[in-house]
Every structure is written in C-alpha cells, then in structure tokens.
C-alpha cells in the first residue's frame, strides 16, 4: 500500500518537516477532488480527476491508492466517492503507522 523506499527517498530530498507538509497538502487536495467527484462531474471531467489522484499518489509512494484510482480510470468506472474516501483514509492511517516522517 505504501512504498517505503519512495517515502525515504522523498524525506532525504526535501527533509522530514517538508515531507509532512507535502503529504498533508496531498491528502487535503485529494479529499477536495473526491468531494468534486461526489458532487458529480461531466463525463469528460472524471478521467482527469482520477489522473490527478493517481499521479499525486504515485509521486508520493501511495501505491495502493494510485492503483485503485488507476483501475477506475482505465475501465471507465464511475468513481465511487465513498470508496475513494475510505481508501484515502486507509492510506493516510497506513502511512502514519509506518512512515518515519508521520
């Protein structure tokens, strides 16, 4: 679910304090995007929204969340906000319990 090697790499690049800020910002922005998805997007707006969630997660080593959003995007599945929110929260908890920076 979490790529610890990526977390360590990021921490060495930006420092622990900045990484905490970056991760917190991603979780806030991801939650806001999920709320937009739940509110209803035009069909052509959903793929970019899921891409935003996936690419940010991949950049930060949040591979489980990235894989789920990637699958939704690939199969053109209507994104379920509840599922996205639950997975984002599980990812946040997993990161907090495993990460040296959390």
């Amino acid at each position: 679910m979490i790529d610890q090697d990526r977390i360590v790499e990021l921490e060495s690049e930006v420092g622990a304090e900045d990484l905490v800020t970056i991760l917190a910002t991603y979780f806030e922005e991801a939650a806001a995007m999920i709320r937009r998805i739940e509110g209803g997007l035009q069909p052509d707006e959903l793929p970019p929204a899921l891409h935003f969630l996936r690419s940010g997660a991949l950049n930060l080593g949040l591979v489980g969340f990235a894989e789920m959003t990637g699958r939704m995007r690939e199969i053109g599945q209507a994104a379920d906000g509840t599922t996205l929110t639950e997975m984002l929260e599980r990812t946040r908890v997993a990161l907090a319990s495993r990460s040296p920076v959390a």
Side-chain angles (χ1 to χ4, degrees):
M1 180 182 266
I2 305 295
D3 180 351
Q4 286 298 319
D5 291 338
R6 180 64 179 145
I7 296 296
V8 170
E9 178 184 16
L10 287 168
E11 183 179 24
S12 72
E13 290 176 5
V14 301
E17 187 175 318
D18 285 343
L19 180 55
V20 169
T21 301
I22 291 166
L23 289 165
T25 300
Y26 174 76
F27 282 107
E28 289 173 18
E29 290 178 357
M33 181 60 73
I34 292 168
R35 285 191 299 275
R36 284 190 60 219
I37 290 169
E38 288 176 319
L41 296 176
Q42 297 298 319
D44 63 328
E45 294 175 318
L46 184 57
L50 291 171
H51 176 77
F52 167 82
L53 294 172
R54 180 181 177 274
S55 63
L58 280 176
N59 285 328
L60 296 172
L62 311 177
V63 293
F65 188 68
E67 289 172 1
M68 183 189 73
T69 56
R71 280 192 306 272
M72 285 181 176
R73 185 170 181 247
E74 287 172 9
I75 63 174
Q77 176 180 339
D80 174 14
T82 301
T83 300
L84 288 167
T85 298
E86 289 171 358
M87 184 62 171
L88 185 65
E89 180 60 17
R90 283 196 306 265
T91 301
R92 188 193 62 74
V93 169
L95 182 65
S97 68
R98 294 183 182 177
S99 174
V101 299

